[in-house]
Amino acid sequence: MEFLGTTQTASYCGPKKVCASVPVAPAPVIQECYQPYYLPGYRYLNSWRPSLFYKVCNVQTCPDEGATCRSALRPPTILPAVRSALFCRYSPHDWDQSNQLQMRGAEASRLWAGRLMGDSMRLMQDKDQLTRQMQEGTCRNLGQRLSDIGFWKSELSYELERLLNENHSLDSIKRRLECAAEELNCPLQVALECLYQREKRIGIDLVHDNVEKNLIREVDLLKCCQEQMRKLAQRIDIQMRDNRDAQHALERDLEDKNSAEFIDEKCLNMRNTSDCISFFHGVEKIDGTISVPETWAKFSNDNIRHSQNMRANSIRLREEAQNLFEVLSDQMWKQFTNTNLAFNARVAEVTDIKNKLQTQLAKTLQEIFQTENTIMLLERSIMAKECPLKVAQTRLECRTRRPNVELCRDIPQFKLVNEVFTIDDTLQTLKLRLRETRDTLQLLLMTKCRLEHELAIKANTLCIDKEKCMGMRKTFPSALCLGICP
């Protein structure tokens, strides 16, 4: 830069001295990292300088080499008045140019501000409309989402209600099975007691008859029925656990749907004037979702399908239990009837035999009475024959005392001898018949004892079968007691 009023031979106007010993440091390069915003027409206002008597030159300084070098490079002192006069004098052209530039800059600023204000108003209107449309779209989406949640809630509630009803029915059928299995203990104990009582039969009546066979079949059938009912009750218990799992899944899903519906309804009811709204910076960058609408709907659909499968299994088990009730009830009733018929037939047989034995006993007693009368008559007849025999023997003995030739074998002698032999033979015959009659009487008495013993056996058998066994088997547990009928 040249200053007017100074000589060109001044030390500071001469050529720049280069220090040989000290290397010249390169001028620092400054890069702008921020570009300022300039209004149109104002970009070069701050950089305006007068062009009259003004020139800019690059001045490089050298490092210090002592006081001599610094004093040689220092410019001379210029008075402030002279410096102000040199720097504040502009030409009219510069003045006009500056004024025109200011007016053009102001006009450009106003035009730019007007366009910017119009663009800003249009931008605000567009953004307001976009924001309003997005809010309305979000409200519609939330409403549609609430409709979807309401639909699945109704489906889940309906399925949960049906599953609860099915669980109640299944629990009822399970209790009926357990009750029926417990109630079968009564007829089972009756059948076993009948078998134990029939072991008390005596003698020949301790026979493996049709009654005992039917009782054994009845005991086996009752035990088999109990086992089938208990196994089916265990299967129903396992199915009820699966039903409870499906119920818990539906309840959890329904509870989640209620929570989601409450939250989405709260979001739907939010307005720009609501008190509960606030800034949550960065919340849009957080993705905590774990499902998409397809998987969300599939989850509830899978829960409903699983519940439907569990209900179908429960219905099959209930039908199986009902069929089992009908089949087992029919089998037990038939076996109970067959056993009772066998008892009745056996009682009829024993009663018939007992009546026949009683008839035989009565006849035997009558025969014993007649035999005793016969014995009495035979004894009387024998006693009656003794006197004639005595008379005949006495006559013969007296005739033996006849003297000499008077001992003649005459007709009276022959008759007396014949009479004695005849009476003696008659006595022997009567005595033999008396012994036979007495033997017959003993046989009849033994027969009477045997008949009485058999009658006692038959009476004991009738008492066991008719009084004790049939007395316990008068009634069979009804279908209501067994829980077979609903």
PDB file of all heavy atoms in Angstrom, residues 285-300:
ATOM      1  N   LYS A 285     -37.900 -43.713  17.143  1.00  0.00           N
ATOM      2  CA  LYS A 285     -36.768 -44.543  16.732  1.00  0.00           C
ATOM      3  C   LYS A 285     -36.738 -45.879  17.461  1.00  0.00           C
ATOM      4  O   LYS A 285     -35.947 -46.747  17.111  1.00  0.00           O
ATOM      5  CB  LYS A 285     -35.455 -43.796  16.990  1.00  0.00           C
ATOM      6  CG  LYS A 285     -35.342 -42.491  16.211  1.00  0.00           C
ATOM      7  CD  LYS A 285     -34.049 -41.778  16.525  1.00  0.00           C
ATOM      8  CE  LYS A 285     -33.939 -40.449  15.776  1.00  0.00           C
ATOM      9  NZ  LYS A 285     -32.688 -39.728  16.098  1.00  0.00           N
ATOM     10  N   ILE A 286     -37.575 -46.018  18.483  1.00  0.00           N
ATOM     11  CA  ILE A 286     -37.613 -47.260  19.270  1.00  0.00           C
ATOM     12  C   ILE A 286     -38.690 -48.163  18.684  1.00  0.00           C
ATOM     13  O   ILE A 286     -39.863 -47.782  18.604  1.00  0.00           O
ATOM     14  CB  ILE A 286     -37.906 -46.966  20.752  1.00  0.00           C
ATOM     15  CG1 ILE A 286     -36.833 -46.044  21.334  1.00  0.00           C
ATOM     16  CG2 ILE A 286     -37.983 -48.266  21.541  1.00  0.00           C
ATOM     17  CD1 ILE A 286     -37.138 -45.593  22.742  1.00  0.00           C
ATOM     18  N   ASP A 287     -38.303 -49.338  18.266  1.00  0.00           N
ATOM     19  CA  ASP A 287     -39.248 -50.315  17.706  1.00  0.00           C
ATOM     20  C   ASP A 287     -39.366 -51.484  18.686  1.00  0.00           C
ATOM     21  O   ASP A 287     -38.563 -52.415  18.677  1.00  0.00           O
ATOM     22  CB  ASP A 287     -38.766 -50.794  16.339  1.00  0.00           C
ATOM     23  CG  ASP A 287     -39.804 -51.674  15.649  1.00  0.00           C
ATOM     24  OD1 ASP A 287     -40.930 -51.770  16.186  1.00  0.00           O
ATOM     25  OD2 ASP A 287     -39.496 -52.254  14.598  1.00  0.00           O
ATOM     26  N   GLY A 288     -40.386 -51.406  19.552  1.00  0.00           N
ATOM     27  CA  GLY A 288     -40.589 -52.475  20.530  1.00  0.00           C
ATOM     28  C   GLY A 288     -41.656 -53.466  20.126  1.00  0.00           C
ATOM     29  O   GLY A 288     -42.106 -54.270  20.948  1.00  0.00           O
ATOM     30  N   THR A 289     -42.101 -53.410  18.867  1.00  0.00           N
ATOM     31  CA  THR A 289     -43.145 -54.328  18.412  1.00  0.00           C
ATOM     32  C   THR A 289     -42.575 -55.728  18.223  1.00  0.00           C
ATOM     33  O   THR A 289     -41.403 -55.899  17.880  1.00  0.00           O
ATOM     34  CB  THR A 289     -43.745 -53.837  17.088  1.00  0.00           C
ATOM     35  OG1 THR A 289     -42.703 -53.735  16.111  1.00  0.00           O
ATOM     36  CG2 THR A 289     -44.389 -52.470  17.276  1.00  0.00           C
ATOM     37  N   ILE A 290     -43.418 -56.709  18.454  1.00  0.00           N
ATOM     38  CA  ILE A 290     -43.000 -58.110  18.308  1.00  0.00           C
ATOM     39  C   ILE A 290     -43.891 -58.864  17.331  1.00  0.00           C
ATOM     40  O   ILE A 290     -43.762 -60.079  17.189  1.00  0.00           O
ATOM     41  CB  ILE A 290     -43.015 -58.830  19.666  1.00  0.00           C
ATOM     42  CG1 ILE A 290     -44.415 -58.802  20.275  1.00  0.00           C
ATOM     43  CG2 ILE A 290     -42.005 -58.225  20.613  1.00  0.00           C
ATOM     44  CD1 ILE A 290     -44.539 -59.615  21.545  1.00  0.00           C
ATOM     45  N   SER A 291     -44.831 -58.184  16.692  1.00  0.00           N
ATOM     46  CA  SER A 291     -45.711 -58.861  15.744  1.00  0.00           C
ATOM     47  C   SER A 291     -46.159 -57.869  14.686  1.00  0.00           C
ATOM     48  O   SER A 291     -46.018 -56.653  14.839  1.00  0.00           O
ATOM     49  CB  SER A 291     -46.934 -59.459  16.456  1.00  0.00           C
ATOM     50  OG  SER A 291     -47.729 -58.431  17.021  1.00  0.00           O
ATOM     51  N   VAL A 292     -46.700 -58.433  13.616  1.00  0.00           N
ATOM     52  CA  VAL A 292     -47.314 -57.659  12.545  1.00  0.00           C
ATOM     53  C   VAL A 292     -48.796 -58.031  12.528  1.00  0.00           C
ATOM     54  O   VAL A 292     -49.206 -58.995  13.192  1.00  0.00           O
ATOM     55  CB  VAL A 292     -46.636 -57.970  11.195  1.00  0.00           C
ATOM     56  CG1 VAL A 292     -45.193 -57.509  11.205  1.00  0.00           C
ATOM     57  CG2 VAL A 292     -46.715 -59.456  10.872  1.00  0.00           C
ATOM     58  N   PRO A 293     -49.637 -57.252  11.808  1.00  0.00           N
ATOM     59  CA  PRO A 293     -51.074 -57.575  11.828  1.00  0.00           C
ATOM     60  C   PRO A 293     -51.389 -59.014  11.455  1.00  0.00           C
ATOM     61  O   PRO A 293     -52.315 -59.615  12.013  1.00  0.00           O
ATOM     62  CB  PRO A 293     -51.659 -56.583  10.814  1.00  0.00           C
ATOM     63  CG  PRO A 293     -50.746 -55.405  10.879  1.00  0.00           C
ATOM     64  CD  PRO A 293     -49.375 -55.972  11.118  1.00  0.00           C
ATOM     65  N   GLU A 294     -50.627 -59.590  10.518  1.00  0.00           N
ATOM     66  CA  GLU A 294     -50.905 -60.976  10.124  1.00  0.00           C
ATOM     67  C   GLU A 294     -50.619 -61.938  11.274  1.00  0.00           C
ATOM     68  O   GLU A 294     -51.440 -62.804  11.600  1.00  0.00           O
ATOM     69  CB  GLU A 294     -50.072 -61.356   8.889  1.00  0.00           C
ATOM     70  CG  GLU A 294     -50.487 -60.655   7.608  1.00  0.00           C
ATOM     71  CD  GLU A 294     -50.001 -59.218   7.544  1.00  0.00           C
ATOM     72  OE1 GLU A 294     -49.164 -58.846   8.416  1.00  0.00           O
ATOM     73  OE2 GLU A 294     -50.451 -58.471   6.651  1.00  0.00           O
ATOM     74  N   THR A 295     -49.432 -61.795  11.889  1.00  0.00           N
ATOM     75  CA  THR A 295     -49.102 -62.684  13.009  1.00  0.00           C
ATOM     76  C   THR A 295     -49.969 -62.387  14.226  1.00  0.00           C
ATOM     77  O   THR A 295     -50.283 -63.287  15.006  1.00  0.00           O
ATOM     78  CB  THR A 295     -47.620 -62.532  13.376  1.00  0.00           C
ATOM     79  OG1 THR A 295     -47.351 -61.157  13.707  1.00  0.00           O
ATOM     80  CG2 THR A 295     -46.737 -62.946  12.216  1.00  0.00           C
ATOM     81  N   TRP A 296     -50.368 -61.096  14.384  1.00  0.00           N
ATOM     82  CA  TRP A 296     -51.258 -60.734  15.496  1.00  0.00           C
ATOM     83  C   TRP A 296     -52.610 -61.429  15.360  1.00  0.00           C
ATOM     84  O   TRP A 296     -53.121 -62.021  16.316  1.00  0.00           O
ATOM     85  CB  TRP A 296     -51.432 -59.221  15.510  1.00  0.00           C
ATOM     86  CG  TRP A 296     -52.439 -58.729  16.497  1.00  0.00           C
ATOM     87  CD1 TRP A 296     -52.280 -58.575  17.835  1.00  0.00           C
ATOM     88  CD2 TRP A 296     -53.778 -58.318  16.207  1.00  0.00           C
ATOM     89  NE1 TRP A 296     -53.427 -58.094  18.401  1.00  0.00           N
ATOM     90  CE2 TRP A 296     -54.373 -57.928  17.427  1.00  0.00           C
ATOM     91  CE3 TRP A 296     -54.530 -58.241  15.043  1.00  0.00           C
ATOM     92  CZ2 TRP A 296     -55.673 -57.465  17.504  1.00  0.00           C
ATOM     93  CZ3 TRP A 296     -55.831 -57.782  15.120  1.00  0.00           C
ATOM     94  CH2 TRP A 296     -56.391 -57.398  16.335  1.00  0.00           C
ATOM     95  N   ALA A 297     -53.189 -61.379  14.166  1.00  0.00           N
ATOM     96  CA  ALA A 297     -54.468 -62.061  13.944  1.00  0.00           C
ATOM     97  C   ALA A 297     -54.296 -63.576  14.002  1.00  0.00           C
ATOM     98  O   ALA A 297     -55.161 -64.298  14.515  1.00  0.00           O
ATOM     99  CB  ALA A 297     -55.057 -61.643  12.598  1.00  0.00           C
ATOM    100  N   LYS A 298     -53.157 -64.073  13.496  1.00  0.00           N
ATOM    101  CA  LYS A 298     -52.912 -65.521  13.515  1.00  0.00           C
ATOM    102  C   LYS A 298     -52.785 -66.033  14.943  1.00  0.00           C
ATOM    103  O   LYS A 298     -53.198 -67.154  15.249  1.00  0.00           O
ATOM    104  CB  LYS A 298     -51.644 -65.829  12.718  1.00  0.00           C
ATOM    105  CG  LYS A 298     -51.336 -67.314  12.588  1.00  0.00           C
ATOM    106  CD  LYS A 298     -50.101 -67.534  11.733  1.00  0.00           C
ATOM    107  CE  LYS A 298     -49.811 -69.032  11.579  1.00  0.00           C
ATOM    108  NZ  LYS A 298     -49.528 -69.673  12.862  1.00  0.00           N
ATOM    109  N   PHE A 299     -52.222 -65.218  15.839  1.00  0.00           N
ATOM    110  CA  PHE A 299     -52.064 -65.639  17.230  1.00  0.00           C
ATOM    111  C   PHE A 299     -53.432 -65.887  17.870  1.00  0.00           C
ATOM    112  O   PHE A 299     -53.667 -66.938  18.481  1.00  0.00           O
ATOM    113  CB  PHE A 299     -51.300 -64.565  18.003  1.00  0.00           C
ATOM    114  CG  PHE A 299     -51.098 -64.882  19.453  1.00  0.00           C
ATOM    115  CD1 PHE A 299     -50.146 -65.802  19.854  1.00  0.00           C
ATOM    116  CD2 PHE A 299     -51.876 -64.272  20.428  1.00  0.00           C
ATOM    117  CE1 PHE A 299     -49.962 -66.103  21.191  1.00  0.00           C
ATOM    118  CE2 PHE A 299     -51.704 -64.566  21.769  1.00  0.00           C
ATOM    119  CZ  PHE A 299     -50.741 -65.485  22.145  1.00  0.00           C
ATOM    120  N   SER A 300     -54.347 -64.934  17.718  1.00  0.00           N
ATOM    121  CA  SER A 300     -55.694 -65.117  18.281  1.00  0.00           C
ATOM    122  C   SER A 300     -56.431 -66.246  17.575  1.00  0.00           C
ATOM    123  O   SER A 300     -57.145 -67.036  18.208  1.00  0.00           O
ATOM    124  CB  SER A 300     -56.489 -63.817  18.171  1.00  0.00           C
ATOM    125  OG  SER A 300     -55.881 -62.788  18.919  1.00  0.00           O
TER     126      SER A 300
END
